[in-house]
Amino acid sequence: NSANVGVEMNHFRILLSLLVITLAMTFVGCGGRVRADIVTARTAFDAGDYQQSYDMWIRVMQASGRTPNFEAAYHAGLSAYRLKRLSEAQRLFKIAARTSLTKLRGQSLAELGLVFADQRRFDHSSRTLSKAAEYLTGQDRANAYYYAAVAEQRLNRAANARTLLVLADRYNLDNQ
């Protein structure tokens, strides 16, 4: 009997080892698939195939499970924006803007501000672009302030527009 128990324990250990190896290979395979999706998404975006880029970035987002993949949300938002799916771009940029990464947060807010401008929601656009400028540097900051000024001008708020243009000029790299 004790010999049978020993054999059964060895079988159990072998099965457990195979299970662990199978799970490890599955996770490595998933990571490889995600990396491949990222490469495909970037290549498609650069080639102007925004639908494929969008689809791949959404797959990357879904592969991250409950933890938001802020970079994937940002890039999916860019693709949706190029496809003129403004509501979807808005949703994705809002997700991406929740990141703790300063530059990505600023870029996401800037894109969100441009989406608001395209939706003719100029007050939201100005506020969001001004907020984006706080997280950006250099020319990116100058551009955010400039487009916030354009939104203020569309709202007939000339004094606010002038103030934002002064800020844009301060950070404009052409002046440095």
Side-chain angles (χ1 to χ4, degrees):
N1 275 342
S2 65
N4 286 341
V5 171
V7 170
E8 288 177 14
M9 285 303 289
N10 282 340
H11 285 298
F12 177 75
R13 285 185 192 130
I14 291 169
L15 288 174
L16 185 61
S17 296
L18 288 173
L19 178 64
V20 169
I21 290 169
T22 302
L23 287 173
M25 289 175 60
T26 301
F27 287 123
V28 169
C30 287
R33 186 177 68 237
V34 168
R35 281 189 293 280
D37 287 347
I38 290 170
V39 169
T40 301
R42 288 185 174 158
T43 302
F45 188 88
D46 291 343
D49 187 349
Y50 304 120
Q51 183 61 56
Q52 183 181 17
S53 177
Y54 171 82
D55 292 341
M56 291 295 101
W57 284 117
I58 293 298
R59 274 179 50 170
V60 171
M61 285 180 64
Q62 291 168 342
S64 67
R66 290 179 177 232
T67 305
N69 184 324
F70 300 114
E71 185 178 351
Y74 172 75
H75 288 288
L78 288 176
S79 298
Y81 188 47
R82 292 279 171 39
L83 291 166
K84 304 294 184 206
R85 296 181 191 156
L86 299 181
S87 295
E88 178 66 356
Q90 177 184 333
R91 181 184 77 80
L92 291 163
F93 289 136
K94 282 182 176 181
I95 292 169
R98 295 192 326 242
T99 184
S100 61
L101 301 173
T102 304
K103 184 176 180 179
L104 183 57
R105 179 180 289 171
Q107 291 170 324
S108 300
L109 288 169
E111 293 294 339
L112 180 59
L114 295 175
V115 168
F116 286 142
D118 283 354
Q119 293 171 330
R120 306 186 61 72
R121 297 168 63 192
F122 299 114
D123 189 56
H124 288 304
S125 178
S126 175
R127 284 187 279 129
T128 305
L129 286 160
S130 294
K131 184 71 173 171
E134 296 173 19
Y135 297 101
L136 298 170
T137 60
Q139 191 62 47
D140 291 334
R141 179 179 276 183
N143 292 343
Y145 281 132
Y146 173 80
Y147 288 110
V150 169
E152 288 292 329
Q153 190 173 23
R154 297 295 299 258
L155 293 165
N156 293 317
R157 299 193 294 220
N160 291 352
R162 275 192 299 276
T163 300
L164 289 165
L165 285 173
V166 167
L167 290 169
D169 190 53
R170 178 181 302 160
Y171 294 102
N172 188 338
L173 295 180
D174 291 340
N175 295 335
Q176 297 176 11

